[in-house]
Amino acid sequence: MERKEEEDQMNKVEDEMALISPFNSGAFSQIAPQQAEAKPRRRRKRNKGGENSLLGAKKRKLTQEQVDVLELNFGNEHKLESEKKDRLACELGLDPRQIAVWFQNRRARWKNKKLEEEFSKLNSVHDGVVLEKCRLESEVIKLKEKLCEAQKEIQQLGERVDGLSSNGPSLSMTMDAAFLGEFGDVFCIAENSYMEWMNLFM
DNA sequence: GTTGCACTTGAATTACATCA
DNA sequence: GTGATGTAATTCAAGTGCAA
């Protein structure tokens, strides 16, 4: 019961606050100390319409002028010194706490926007990397096919040379050993030694 | 004790759907 | 087709708790 009365009192104060114009700094200075003494802070009661609902809406939202000035200041500096905050509050007819809250929320929005931008940048980099990976993979497949064909060809040539002369070491075996590796370097070694053998026998 | 930040709440606004 | 009504989604000021 006592608690109920306390809450009603708070709501009454809040309703009174709601009727004060944002630019009416004189009226605000009368109310502000009451607000400062009200501890702990209470959540606003849900307004279920009625004659004050529209007025409440007008009060709650900062005017375009106020927002413009705040934006201008935010453009210069993302954090406010307490002196500047007070000056701004006075200039706009708002509670310094409202200025602080606005800057806090604005910083949060700015941070979110930055994160979104960063995300979309990383996303496009990622897409590029995926594309490049696909390209490289298909290149690897093509090279493997080429290597396989070359391997077969060398094998056939080696067999032919082995058939012609049984004196030297087996060329085909040398080639096989050289082809234990997978790619170009190995292929070059094999090809070079093959040419050397050919020169010997020519 | 103060301030900033992340998270949350509640009121207002907007966008859209449904119905008479 | 249109205005009234309901409602989900979004926006924004403010509350809360915690850390520095």
Side-chain angles (χ1 to χ4, degrees):
Chain A
M1 192 63 180
E2 215 177 283
R3 199 179 168 82
K4 176 89 171 67
E5 281 173 15
E6 193 185 330
E7 204 166 322
D8 287 341
Q9 185 65 30
M10 274 301 291
N11 290 329
K12 199 179 164 192
V13 169
E14 282 170 6
D15 287 343
E16 283 168 3
M17 289 280 291
L19 293 169
I20 297 163
S21 155
F23 279 101
N24 190 349
S25 56
F28 172 75
S29 66
Q30 290 174 358
I31 298 295
Q34 290 181 355
Q35 192 189 34
E37 279 169 21
K39 283 181 185 177
R41 286 184 190 127
R42 283 179 186 283
R43 292 206 171 281
R44 285 160 298 154
K45 199 176 172 186
R46 183 184 279 265
N47 190 346
K48 294 189 174 172
E51 59 177 19
N52 282 345
S53 62
L54 201 72
L55 263 172
K58 279 179 183 171
K59 159 72 177 77
R60 210 183 69 83
K61 191 141 181 162
L62 301 180
T63 66
Q64 193 54 48
E65 272 177 281
Q66 288 171 325
V67 172
D68 288 346
V69 172
L70 288 166
E71 285 287 358
L72 205 67
N73 280 272
F74 185 79
N76 297 332
E77 256 182 322
H78 287 196
K79 283 185 185 177
L80 274 184
E81 290 162 16
S82 131
E83 217 174 277
K84 198 167 181 185
K85 181 174 71 186
D86 291 341
R87 230 185 314 133
L88 209 50
C90 205
E91 185 187 335
L92 298 176
L94 294 169
D95 181 0
R97 161 116 188 115
Q98 281 179 290
I99 305 292
V101 165
W102 188 89
F103 265 76
Q104 207 154 294
N105 286 325
R106 187 64 181 84
R107 279 195 295 273
R109 285 197 293 273
W110 181 80
K111 193 180 173 184
N112 274 340
K113 200 182 166 192
K114 277 271 168 192
L115 280 173
E116 270 174 27
E117 283 171 8
E118 193 66 25
F119 176 78
S120 93
K121 268 187 202 167
L122 285 172
N123 223 11
S124 62
V125 168
H126 174 261
D127 288 349
V129 168
V130 167
L131 218 66
E132 177 68 0
K133 181 176 174 268
C134 286
R135 193 188 65 76
L136 289 171
E137 277 173 355
S138 71
E139 203 175 317
V140 164
I141 289 169
K142 278 181 200 163
L143 286 171
K144 277 186 175 175
E145 282 169 358
K146 264 190 183 177
L147 183 61
C148 207
E149 280 170 25
Q151 209 170 352
K152 273 185 197 165
E153 204 173 313
I154 289 166
Q155 182 100 22
Q156 284 167 0
L157 283 168
E159 280 166 7
R160 259 199 284 167
V161 170
D162 281 347
L164 284 174
S165 166
S166 55
N167 289 343
S170 164
L171 182 65
S172 58
M173 278 183 67
T174 313
M175 294 297 158
D176 286 347
F179 272 100
L180 283 174
E182 217 181 337
F183 295 115
D185 288 345
V186 182
F187 176 70
C188 285
I189 293 163
E191 195 173 35
N192 288 342
S193 54
Y194 171 67
M195 293 309 287
E196 280 171 28
W197 276 101
M198 289 302 283
N199 288 335
L200 272 176
F201 288 105
M202 292 302 247

